Amino acid sequence: MKNLRRRPRVFLVSLVALVAAALFGGFVLSGGAQASIAGPGGRKPGASHALKGVGPAALSAAGTKNLKAWAADQLKTDGQRRNHALVVRAAVPAKSAPANAVRNNKATAAEPAAFRTTAAKATTARTVTVKPLAATAATGTSALVLYDTTGPYGSLGELYAMALANLSGHFGTVTSKPVSAYTAGMVEQYTATIYVGSTYYGGSIPDAIPAAFYQDVMATSKPVTWIGDNIWNMANTDGIPAFEQKYGWDPTNSYFEVNGSVGNINQVSYKGRTLTRTIPTGYDGGILHPAILSGAGYPQVTQLAQATDANSGATSPWAIRSGNLTYVTEIPFTYVSESDRVIVMEDLLFDALAPATTERHRAFVRLEDISPGSDPTQLRTMADYLYSQKIPYGINVIPEYTDPRGVYNNGVPQTITLAQAPQVVAALKYMLAHGAVLMNHGFTHQYSNVNNPYTGVTADDFEFFRAHIDANNNVVYDGPPAEDSTVWAQTRVTSALGLFAAAGLPKPALWTTPHYAASAPDYRVFGQNYTARLERSLYFAGTLSGGAVNASQYIGQFFPYAVKDVYGTTVLPENLGNYEPVPYNNHPARLPADLIAAAKANLAVRDGVASFFYHPYYDVTPLQQTIDGIKALGYTFVGPMDLAQ
């Protein structure tokens, strides 16, 4: 997720990695990147990277471990369904369902209602109330997000539901609950309903979806978005001919594998944009290949997005729509990137929740990791360039620099506050007078006097989360510190705000969490102290259910527009990452061309933002190249406070 900056003395990138980078795209360090920073210890900038925070799967280690087993089980169960060997038991008797309610496909006989069993008790539903954030959202817009909780991978359902609830929080009120808690007529109470199917019902896992939901989806005129599994059970419950005649395709004859393989689907085309899809071998549960029907009596099925197999060149619908039903062929919240097919999902929500939205593309840039140890001359150089281009921007400031073990000060501990760095403060005031908005980037941007995971020095390390580097040079998240609590987080925030005041600076309106990692209570504290957070975030299991938060199960997410998230806080977008000329911790270099390419992919979001950050210790030239490229795509740069509009 967030940039991590390390110094040359602890530089771990291998020569092989550097040679490979040079051969396959390469990089050149600018003079500014090589120059010393005028600050504590005469420090030099080291490599940094756009850390996702939770590994390539956008999930915690526990969640990622589940993904591989989940993918294998999905394909195994889907194979049983294809071979007419899958028995699906309904959790709740479908009183008004047709006789073929529990058929697996057209060749499978119905299972008597007496054979159905009761599903596990539904998790308590929780409602997240938000106000519309987008100018295009109509007052009163509401979304119902339904998710699975049963089976061995039931924990994944809540993680995906949080991702959907967060995105839906761009438009208005969001209600999230387990699909097993659905009651008849509920779809009529909301502007739109979204179901994410992450538990493949069948065999030992009874169908936890009430028959009333299947029937209401067919009967309502309200938009329904169905993602992933179990759409075939709806066809079986409502009657396959009825489903075919209303929607024009047959999910009971649609499967995740073609010729026994999920293939190598590595891109999705949408609205003229080519988006990426990168999933490691063994973790891909495939996309469902819809069996679209043609001929008299069948309505037209609109292919909204199309997937392409890199090996065969074959294409298949990735998202389709007919009648009131939009179907997305996979859950797109794992293995995401700044140019990933999740962008399709982010834009499709406008169709359901704000269809009258006008096309608009805005951009935002912030300068990162500014502290009392920063070079005032570099800060003024950045300010002069951005002001000359009439570009408003954010400045992320850490109010206290500390090197508790003297790592960069010859072994002598060192701490400097803003008030003790008058030249830096003067530069910050100059920036504020030339288009900048002050943002708070933690108290010290490091934790205690230990490596977390690098040096224990400000801007190097995490502040609100513990982490270490494993033997394979990966940053591993260990969880919140032992002393983490609402009081502990508030104390650090209060200390930070006191240092801004002591330096004669205004209170920052916005917050960015150091390295984008904190606990659920911490995020709520930040939201209570600032107008909004501008960042990527972690979302923990237990948040929707109202139960104990599980610090080992979470999903990381970034947004293309402002949202009110499941913590009840406003989050402004950062979806492009940052300029990094050197690969680091198994993350590739990111050059201006990469940021521009990500901005181009995000043009598919009809009212989206291209938001990135830049470290002022680099030369201004890559920043100029990035801004020029994003402008050329048609984006208009705005200030951070404009992003919530």
Side-chain angles (χ1 to χ4, degrees):
M1 272 189 177
K2 168 68 165 56
N3 165 275
L4 293 182
R5 185 159 62 101
R6 290 183 67 192
R7 308 320 192 230
R9 71 183 69 184
V10 288
F11 191 70
L12 298 178
V13 178
S14 69
L15 177 62
V16 173
L18 296 177
V19 172
L23 290 174
F24 299 102
F27 55 84
V28 177
L29 284 176
S30 66
Q34 295 171 336
S36 296
I37 294 178
R43 297 178 294 132
K44 293 184 177 181
S48 53
H49 60 274
L51 183 68
K52 294 229 176 283
V54 284
L59 297 174
S60 61
T64 304
K65 183 178 180 181
N66 279 343
L67 275 183
K68 189 169 188 178
W70 172 87
D73 280 2
Q74 167 158 291
L75 297 178
K76 177 181 178 181
T77 306
D78 204 53
Q80 293 172 343
R81 181 170 66 91
R82 182 194 291 268
N83 294 326
H84 319 313
L86 183 65
V87 174
V88 181
R89 294 171 289 180
V92 179
K95 295 179 180 179
S96 59
N100 61 356
V102 290
R103 286 165 52 190
N104 292 307
N105 49 49
K106 294 181 178 179
T108 303
E111 180 183 9
F115 191 52
R116 300 170 191 164
T117 61
T118 302
K121 185 180 295 184
T123 305
T124 303
R126 178 172 181 170
T127 300
V128 180
T129 302
V130 297
K131 65 180 180 179
L133 289 169
T136 53
T139 301
T141 297
S142 59
L144 173 63
V145 175
L146 301 171
Y147 58 98
D148 297 321
T149 58
T150 57
Y153 316 112
S155 61
L156 293 175
E158 184 184 15
L159 301 181
Y160 299 143
M162 285 191 289
L164 282 165
N166 289 335
L167 292 172
S168 300
H170 175 67
F171 303 94
T173 301
V174 183
T175 298
S176 305
K177 60 178 60 186
V179 69
S180 56
Y182 181 87
T183 57
M186 198 174 285
V187 294
E188 303 300 334
Q189 302 171 25
Y190 300 89
T191 306
T193 297
I194 308 164
Y195 165 66
V196 54
S198 59
T199 295
Y200 198 127
Y201 295 118
S204 63
I205 307 175
D207 188 352
I209 302 176
F213 179 61
Y214 292 137
Q215 295 157 4
D216 285 355
V217 172
M218 178 79 78
T220 188
S221 61
K222 297 286 187 74
V224 175
T225 300
W226 193 299
I227 305 169
D229 292 343
N230 306 315
I231 187 70
W232 44 86
N233 288 341
M234 175 180 161
N236 281 319
T237 299
D238 291 341
I240 297 171
F243 187 101
E244 293 174 339
Q245 289 166 13
K246 180 163 186 178
Y247 296 120
W249 64 288
D250 178 12
T252 68
N253 195 33
S254 305
Y255 306 100
F256 289 101
E257 291 184 315
V258 174
N259 298 323
S261 172
V262 297
N264 181 22
I265 296 172
N266 70 341
Q267 69 180 43
V268 173
S269 300
Y270 177 67
K271 292 170 60 173
R273 307 293 173 190
T274 299
L275 308 175
T276 57
R277 181 181 187 271
T278 306
I279 302 178
T281 301
Y283 289 81
D284 191 354
I287 69 167
L288 192 76
H289 299 274
I292 297 175
L293 306 170
S294 60
Y298 297 119
Q300 179 179 354
V301 177
T302 301
Q303 297 191 31
L304 303 171
Q306 195 171 64
T308 300
D309 190 304
N311 294 341
S312 66
T315 61
S316 180
W318 190 87
I320 59 177
R321 179 177 298 141
S322 53
N324 68 309
L325 181 65
T326 298
Y327 178 71
V328 179
T329 61
E330 66 168 333
I331 301 170
F333 297 115
T334 57
Y335 296 103
V336 299
S337 70
E338 290 80 2
S339 59
D340 186 75
R341 85 286 194 205
V342 73
I343 290 171
V344 182
M345 189 73 249
E346 294 164 348
D347 185 66
L348 287 178
L349 290 176
F350 283 93
D351 292 343
L353 295 167
T357 298
T358 302
E359 193 88 6
R360 179 175 61 163
H361 301 289
R362 295 171 295 166
F364 173 70
V365 59
R366 76 176 193 263
L367 301 179
E368 189 79 349
D369 287 341
I370 300 169
S371 81
S374 295
D375 183 340
T377 301
Q378 292 175 332
L379 298 181
R380 289 175 182 267
T381 298
M382 294 292 166
D384 288 340
Y385 161 67
L386 292 168
Y387 185 71
S388 73
Q389 299 299 305
K390 297 181 173 59
I391 293 177
Y393 59 101
I395 50 174
N396 252 350
V397 179
I398 310 157
E400 180 172 297
Y401 168 87
T402 185
D403 181 353
R405 295 177 297 166
V407 173
Y408 303 126
N409 194 42
N410 299 316
V412 179
Q414 185 178 36
T415 294
I416 308 171
T417 67
L418 282 172
Q420 295 169 328
Q423 291 184 329
V424 172
V425 172
L428 294 177
K429 291 179 177 179
Y430 181 83
M431 300 174 92
L432 294 177
H434 290 77
V437 173
L438 185 62
M439 301 166 56
N440 190 176
H441 194 29
F443 170 34
T444 62
H445 202 317
Q446 55 81 237
Y447 173 77
S448 189
N449 61 350
V450 298
N451 294 349
N452 190 40
Y454 298 122
T455 64
V457 180
T458 290
D460 283 4
D461 283 11
F462 292 80
E463 181 172 350
F464 293 91
F465 227 67
R466 296 304 310 274
H468 71 276
I469 301 173
D470 68 12
N472 295 317
N473 196 27
N474 297 307
V475 176
V476 179
Y477 279 37
D478 300 319
E483 66 270 41
D484 181 70
S485 68
T486 297
V487 173
W488 179 76
Q490 183 60 61
T491 298
R492 299 192 73 80
V493 168
T494 301
S495 298
L497 292 176
L499 292 180
F500 282 105
L505 292 168
K507 177 185 176 181
L510 303 174
W511 168 274
T512 299
T513 305
H515 293 334
Y516 291 163
S519 69
D522 296 345
Y523 285 124
R524 290 192 174 96
V525 166
F526 307 149
Q528 292 164 2
N529 284 271
Y530 302 87
T531 302
R533 296 187 285 116
L534 199 159
E535 59 186 15
R536 306 180 179 193
S537 304
L538 306 181
Y539 295 96
F540 296 83
T543 300
L544 292 183
S545 67
V549 171
N550 184 348
S552 69
Q553 286 274 7
Y554 47 82
I555 187 169
Q557 190 175 18
F558 52 90
F559 309 106
Y561 35 64
V563 306
K564 185 66 76 72
D565 70 3
V566 295
Y567 298 138
T569 62
T570 299
V571 185
L572 305 181
E574 188 279 278
N575 59 332
L576 300 189
N578 62 296
Y579 168 74
E580 293 297 347
V582 179
Y584 209 67
N585 287 123
N586 298 312
H587 291 270
R590 284 183 63 78
L591 304 181
D594 299 306
L595 300 180
I596 295 165
K600 184 176 182 180
N602 276 274
L603 286 171
V605 180
R606 68 198 70 181
D607 188 14
V609 176
S611 177
F612 72 102
F613 61 95
Y614 193 87
H615 290 88
Y617 51 74
Y618 287 124
D619 187 80
V620 73
T621 301
L623 177 62
Q624 295 171 328
Q625 294 170 345
T626 304
I627 287 176
D628 288 346
I630 291 175
K631 278 184 174 180
L633 294 173
Y635 284 94
T636 300
F637 277 86
V638 299
M641 305 307 292
D642 297 318
L643 299 178
Q645 305 300 317

